[in-house]
């Protein structure tokens, strides 16, 4: 096991507990239900739930649901399922920022009454122009000096639905000349006549992310509010609200570098495009770096947790190579996935010295190291090996089957190829071979046989389909320049599909998502759907890192 990677928040939490600043920590994971969770979210989940677990604290699940037009119940359901699948349980009930809409409204009134907020009638475009830029201070809104009474009246009427969308906002009165643009009178409320998945039609004004987040943390008694670095510039605003409102406690915000993973996109907006534009078959398509996609592809949750631990938590960004995630998946599957044989491109082998009416059943271990019992593998005169495991014109160093050469059939006999059988077009249709009957579980006498290939019995094997998934994008940084989908068609993203594969009989019992190592081929799991009546297996990952070879 690799040593635990650096996690600077671990030290902060440990110090806060040691100093007595907190007697127990409370963290939260705050997704917006506007898409499925992706591998980047896993980093935040492992961090927030992981710290709570490690230090005997609590972690809340709170949906950050202030933007009803983009949110859906289906996303809420998927997010809950994914967190549970990763192996975490939130403390208490699922929470929603919308649970706090009434308190937030009261606090907005409080800010108005204390002269710290005003109703502004600038349009969105005008407000943007007044905001200035990094190099230019903003200008005060002409509505900034409205009286408390007028602001109270207008804000209450905004809530009552008297004004059209976009006509007015409630803004904090902070500093239009601030070097931090987030402090230039940020918007607290917008008018939006949208049905909300939790609150229905109760509200036609919705609080902004900034006005919601810190106060929700305070209401829930969050001690360490952990977010990604984009929110560093929002921290002064986060603290401004806590200072100017009668909140029950003052949480602290900490930022860490988000996960950027090579060869895939991890932005809900971009993943949503892949779904909407038909590049993939939904959010849980095995090509998606969503947790649901990775699950369907066979990634074990323990591998994702291991990966998140290994990449560590710091404030310096950088790109993590997808190979690191694959390595964690392989480590996990190598220890825990039972072995099986599946021939992707079958080539018939006829064992000329084995009787046609005989069949024997070999018992092979399900795992080479762990005690997982055995599996029954039928052996008879007609077998299948993979087309790639025989060559008439072998390249130098070829260790598989050649005419006149020998290989071992995994777990069975050594065979020798005598003859190639071809059809009229010259295509190889079968091989005639002989077994050395003394080589079952024994070395052949007087010679070394290096190659070992996998095989199945022709009659007693099952037909199945196999899809060879790989990385989502060929290029390391698909988002680096321009449109990440430019020049790409849905076909470019299709995974190779083999539909006439032959697998050992035990695989008929494979359950959805259950991991197997197909010997010499990689790790696979059964898809939840069959393909034209055949079990379909998804390649989770190759056996070795052969990327770029
Ligand atoms: P996206 O950019 O994909 O839309 P988001 O940050 O808008 O993601 P949220 O639902 O707001 O998505 O995220 C919930 C939590 O997950 C936030 O605290 C956010 O900081 C964290 N998170 C999102 N993406 C990553 C990432 N790539 N690495 C680490 N944490 C992330
Ligand atoms: Mg967000
Ligand atoms: Mg977002």
């Amino acid at each position: 096991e690799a040593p635990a990677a650096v996690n600077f928040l671990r030290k902060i939490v440990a110090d806060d507990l040691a100093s007595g600043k907190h007697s127990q920590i409370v963290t939260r994971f705050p997704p917006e239900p506007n898409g499925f969770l992706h591998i980047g979210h896993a980093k935040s989940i492992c961090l927030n739930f992981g710290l709570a677990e490690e230090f005997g604290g609590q972690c809340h699940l709170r949906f950050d649901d202030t933007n009803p037009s983009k949110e859906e119940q289906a996303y809420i359901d998927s997010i809950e399922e994914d967190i549970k699948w990763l192996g975490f349980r939130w403390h208490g009930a699922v929470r929603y920022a919308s649970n706090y809409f009434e308190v937030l409204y009261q606090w907005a009134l409080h800010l108005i009454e204390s002269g710290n907020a005003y109703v502004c009638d600038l349009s969105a475009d005008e407000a943007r122009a007044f905001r200035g830029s990094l190099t230019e201070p903003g200008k005060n809104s002409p509505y900034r000096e409205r009286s408390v009474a007028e602001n109270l009246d207008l804000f209450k009427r905004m809530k009552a639905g008297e004004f059209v969308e976009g006509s007015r906002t409630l803004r904090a009165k902070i500093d239009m000349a601030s070097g931090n643009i987030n402090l230039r009178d940020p918007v607290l409320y917008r008018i939006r006549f949208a049905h909300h998945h939790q609150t229905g039609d109760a509200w036609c004004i919705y609080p902004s992310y900034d006005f919601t987040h810190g106060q929700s943390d305070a209401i829930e008694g969050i001690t360490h509010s952990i977010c990604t670095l984009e929110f560093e510039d929002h921290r002064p605003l986060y603290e401004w609200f806590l200072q100017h409102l009668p909140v029950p406690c003052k949480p602290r915000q900490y930022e860490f570098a988000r996960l950027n993973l090579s060869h895939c996109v991890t932005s809900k907006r971009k993943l949503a495009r892949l779904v909407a534009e038909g590049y993939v078959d939904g959010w849980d398509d095995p090509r998606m770096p969503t947790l649901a996609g990775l699950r369907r592809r066979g990634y074990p949750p323990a591998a994702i947790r291991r990966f998140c631990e290994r990449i560590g938590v710091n404030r310096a960004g950088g790109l993590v190579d997808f190979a690191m995630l694959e390595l964690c998946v392989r480590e996990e599957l190598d220890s825990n996935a039972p072995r099986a044989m599946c021939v992707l491109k079958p080539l018939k082998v006829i064992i000329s010295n084995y009787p046609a009416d005989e069949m024997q059943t070999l018992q092979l271990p399900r795992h080479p190291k762990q005690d997982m019992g055995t599996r029954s593998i039928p052996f008879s005169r007609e077998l299948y090996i993979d087309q790639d495991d025989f060559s008439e014109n072998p390249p130098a160093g070829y260790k598989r089957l050649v005419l006149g050469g020998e290989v071992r059939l995994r777990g069975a006999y050594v065979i020798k190829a005598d003859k190639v059988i071809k059809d009229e077009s010259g295509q190889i249709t079968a091989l005639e071979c002989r077994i050395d009957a003394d080589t079952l579980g024994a070395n052949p006498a007087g010679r070394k046989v290096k190659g070992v290939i996998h095989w199945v019995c022709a009659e007693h094997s099952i037909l199945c389909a196999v899809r060879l998934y790989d990385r989502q994008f060929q290029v390391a940084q698909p988002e680096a320049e321009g449109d990440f989908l430019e020049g790409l068609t849905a076909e470019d993203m299709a995974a190779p599909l083999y539909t006439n594969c032959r697998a050992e009989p035990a695989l008929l019992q494979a359950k959805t998502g259950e991991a197997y190592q197909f010997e010499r081929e990689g790790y696979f799991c059964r898809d939840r759907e069959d393909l034209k009546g055949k079990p379909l297996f998804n390649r989770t990952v190759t056996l070795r890192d052969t990327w770029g070879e």
Side-chain angles (χ1 to χ4, degrees):
E1 194 72 5
V6 174
N7 175 343
F8 75 102
L9 289 163
R10 213 175 240 147
K11 171 145 176 30
I12 289 174
V13 167
D15 289 349
D16 286 350
L17 289 169
S19 72
K21 181 177 175 192
H22 300 292
S23 57
Q24 193 192 33
I25 65 153
V26 186
T27 58
R28 87 283 170 268
F29 175 64
E32 184 181 352
N34 61 352
F36 276 51
L37 297 179
H38 52 64
I39 184 72
H41 292 112
K43 179 174 180 180
S44 175
I45 293 171
C46 290
L47 177 58
N48 282 295
F49 284 90
L51 283 173
E53 247 171 37
E54 185 177 338
F55 291 96
Q58 303 172 359
C59 181
H60 296 180
L61 169 59
R62 184 204 314 146
F63 287 104
D64 216 331
D65 56 348
T66 56
N67 194 358
S69 51
K70 297 216 164 130
E71 299 164 3
E72 278 177 32
Q73 184 61 41
Y75 296 139
I76 292 178
D77 297 341
S78 77
I79 289 169
E80 291 181 18
E81 185 185 350
D82 289 347
I83 295 170
K84 288 192 267 186
W85 173 72
L86 268 185
F88 296 108
R89 297 291 176 272
W90 48 90
H91 182 266
V94 172
R95 297 151 211 261
Y96 297 87
S98 57
N99 292 158
Y100 315 132
F101 279 175
E102 182 57 36
V103 192
L104 291 170
Y105 176 71
Q106 295 302 326
W107 283 346
L109 294 175
H110 179 95
L111 283 185
I112 295 173
E113 281 160 2
S114 54
N116 287 309
Y118 61 97
V119 172
C120 180
D121 300 357
L122 291 179
S123 68
D125 285 342
E126 289 165 336
R128 201 169 302 119
F130 274 73
R131 196 173 302 131
S133 66
L134 281 177
T135 51
E136 220 189 323
K139 283 184 300 188
N140 284 352
S141 159
Y143 306 98
R144 205 171 193 259
E145 300 309 327
R146 275 177 165 151
S147 69
V148 168
E150 187 183 4
N151 282 321
L152 281 176
D153 173 62
L154 287 172
F155 186 53
K156 287 176 181 168
R157 288 165 61 197
M158 276 169 67
K159 177 180 186 268
E162 289 188 26
F163 308 121
V164 298
E165 281 188 16
S167 61
R168 294 196 152 99
T169 56
L170 182 73
R171 297 174 69 179
K173 193 192 274 190
I174 307 181
D175 180 6
M176 288 305 292
S178 173
N180 183 337
I181 293 181
N182 292 296
L183 295 178
R184 295 184 188 172
D185 292 8
V187 170
L188 309 184
Y189 273 89
R190 292 185 182 81
I191 300 170
R192 200 152 284 168
F193 290 90
H195 185 84
H196 189 287
H197 49 97
Q198 300 302 313
T199 57
D201 298 314
W203 296 88
C204 64
I205 53 171
Y206 288 96
S208 62
Y209 168 86
D210 285 314
F211 189 63
T212 307
H213 202 86
Q215 289 89 296
S216 301
D217 285 342
I219 292 167
E220 294 183 10
I222 302 298
T223 56
H224 299 77
S225 179
I226 301 167
C227 61
T228 44
L229 274 168
E230 311 91 89
F231 292 98
E232 185 175 19
D233 288 348
H234 295 238
R235 183 162 16 108
L237 181 56
Y238 182 101
E239 288 172 353
W240 190 90
F241 290 127
L242 296 182
Q243 277 158 18
H244 290 82
L245 291 170
V247 289
C249 68
K250 293 197 164 61
R252 260 201 72 172
Q253 175 182 305
Y254 297 91
E255 306 89 20
F256 69 100
R258 62 189 286 119
L259 168 65
N260 291 312
L261 192 59
S262 76
H263 300 94
C264 63
V265 294
T266 52
S267 140
K268 274 188 278 189
R269 197 170 45 80
K270 289 179 181 156
L271 295 173
R273 258 190 78 192
L274 290 170
V275 176
E277 295 175 25
Y279 281 86
V280 296
D281 283 334
W283 288 90
D284 72 342
D285 186 298
R287 290 168 292 177
M288 293 280 269
T290 53
L291 296 182
L294 297 175
R295 170 167 68 238
R296 186 163 170 200
R297 182 163 164 174
Y299 277 40
I304 295 175
R305 292 197 304 266
R306 180 191 293 239
F307 169 72
C308 290
E309 182 60 39
R310 208 169 275 179
I311 57 177
V313 179
N314 59 34
R315 288 176 53 89
L319 188 68
V320 176
D321 197 313
F322 201 83
M324 173 109 127
L325 176 58
E326 291 176 321
L327 178 68
C328 294
V329 173
R330 279 190 200 105
E331 287 174 352
E332 194 61 35
L333 292 177
D334 181 43
S335 320
N336 299 315
R339 277 34 174 180
M341 291 197 280
C342 177
V343 174
L344 269 53
K345 291 176 281 172
L347 169 62
K348 183 162 279 184
V349 166
I350 299 157
I351 311 288
S352 58
N353 62 343
Y354 198 84
D357 51 1
E358 218 173 283
M359 191 195 88
Q360 61 178 311
T361 304
L362 306 170
Q363 293 298 321
L364 265 58
R366 295 184 73 231
H367 195 280
K369 292 182 216 127
Q370 297 219 46
D371 184 11
M372 294 187 180
T374 60
R375 58 199 220 260
S376 301
I377 313 270
F379 184 94
S380 60
R381 181 182 164 91
E382 295 201 350
L383 311 173
Y384 288 115
I385 65 169
D386 199 281
Q387 288 166 20
D388 289 344
D389 285 335
F390 173 78
S391 177
E392 272 192 297
N393 306 297
Y398 190 77
K399 290 204 192 64
R400 295 167 258 172
L401 193 58
V402 298
L403 267 183
E406 287 184 313
V407 286
R408 175 174 289 284
L409 298 177
R410 166 80 84 202
Y413 303 90
V414 168
I415 60 168
K416 182 176 197 169
D418 291 327
K419 196 174 149 192
V420 180
I421 301 166
K422 296 183 178 175
D423 63 16
E424 296 100 66
S425 69
Q427 282 278 347
I428 302 177
T429 55
L431 297 179
E432 218 176 272
C433 299
R434 263 174 304 150
I435 55 166
D436 179 339
D438 295 332
T439 55
L440 186 61
N443 285 323
R447 59 202 199 278
K448 280 215 160 68
V449 174
K450 279 218 187 103
V452 181
I453 64 173
H454 61 290
W455 59 279
V456 294
C457 172
E459 189 186 346
H460 302 280
S461 54
I462 62 162
L463 261 174
C464 64
V466 165
R467 228 192 273 272
L468 297 185
Y469 290 112
D470 209 324
R471 297 183 183 180
Q472 191 185 24
F473 288 90
Q474 295 291 313
V475 293
Q477 290 182 268
E479 300 165 281
E481 48 196 86
D483 180 355
F484 74 110
L485 284 173
E486 194 179 317
L488 278 184
T489 64
E491 287 72 48
D492 295 329
M493 296 192 72
L497 173 68
Y498 294 89
T499 54
N500 282 306
C501 312
R502 290 275 179 173
E504 63 175 76
L507 282 178
L508 201 56
Q509 262 74 57
K511 295 188 192 70
T512 302
E514 202 172 45
Y516 285 90
Q517 184 194 99
F518 288 180
E519 304 217 34
R520 302 181 60 241
E521 292 290 0
Y523 294 98
F524 291 80
C525 74
R526 186 167 179 175
D527 196 68
R528 58 172 152 74
E529 282 168 30
D530 288 352
L531 190 86
K532 300 203 177 100
K534 296 175 195 171
L536 170 64
F537 291 91
N538 299 327
R539 182 170 72 188
T540 309
V541 68
T542 53
L543 284 181
R544 280 172 299 279
D545 186 1
T546 53
W547 181 258
E549 276 179 15

